[in-house]
Amino acid sequence: QVQLVESGGGLVQAGGSLRLSCAASGTLFRFIDVGWYRQAPGKQREFVARITSVGFTSFADSVQGRFAISRDNAKDTVFLQMNSLKPEDTAVYYCQTSIYWGQGTQVTVSS
């Protein structure tokens, strides 16, 4: 069974940066696509970014140019670098592959 564990969330001021990590186990990591999603209080979960097994990336319009996604296949880990954070980026961030989801990590951006 695939397990995904997010880390790196926290409290940051607007304009700051955070780097989230998603560590995977139970799968041939280098062959899988991995996505990041987020869910703010009272809102639906929404797509943030995705990286394919060969390194192609895509981003939601709301984070394009501020967030970057990368992967380290030697460490079975995907990273989400978040820069120029805004209060509206506050949410629980989840990583996902196929039908599997992590438990989420809280990101709070203060104004």
Side-chain angles (χ1 to χ4, degrees), residues 49-90:
R50 173 168 298 279
I51 187 165
T52 70
S53 60
V54 294
F56 291 122
T57 61
S58 58
F59 298 92
D61 288 345
S62 59
V63 306
Q64 182 77 47
R66 299 188 297 123
F67 289 12
I69 188 171
S70 60
R71 63 191 299 153
D72 184 340
N73 289 340
K75 297 182 178 179
D76 292 354
T77 301
V78 169
F79 303 99
L80 184 68
Q81 178 67 43
M82 306 186 297
N83 301 321
S84 301
L85 283 162
K86 304 175 181 180
E88 51 263 44
D89 294 318
T90 295

Side-chain angles (χ1 to χ4, degrees), residues 6 9 12 16 18 20 34-50 58-69 80-96 100-109:
E6 302 96 335
V12 65
L18 283 174
L20 306 184
V34 178
W36 283 97
Y37 291 75
R38 66 187 182 187
Q39 187 166 19
K43 295 188 177 181
Q44 290 189 329
R45 193 171 297 189
E46 65 176 4
F47 168 76
V48 175
R50 173 168 298 279
S58 58
F59 298 92
D61 288 345
S62 59
V63 306
Q64 182 77 47
R66 299 188 297 123
F67 289 12
I69 188 171
L80 184 68
Q81 178 67 43
M82 306 186 297
N83 301 321
S84 301
L85 283 162
K86 304 175 181 180
E88 51 263 44
D89 294 318
T90 295
V92 178
Y93 284 71
Y94 300 90
C95 64
Q96 168 267 343
Y100 304 99
W101 294 83
Q103 83 288 349
T105 185
Q106 176 71 47
V107 172
T108 303
V109 184

Side-chain angles (χ1 to χ4, degrees), residues 1-4 25-27 35 94-102:
Q1 183 172 349
V2 177
Q3 289 189 322
L4 302 171
S25 61
T27 182
Y94 300 90
C95 64
Q96 168 267 343
T97 186
S98 182
I99 62 171
Y100 304 99
W101 294 83

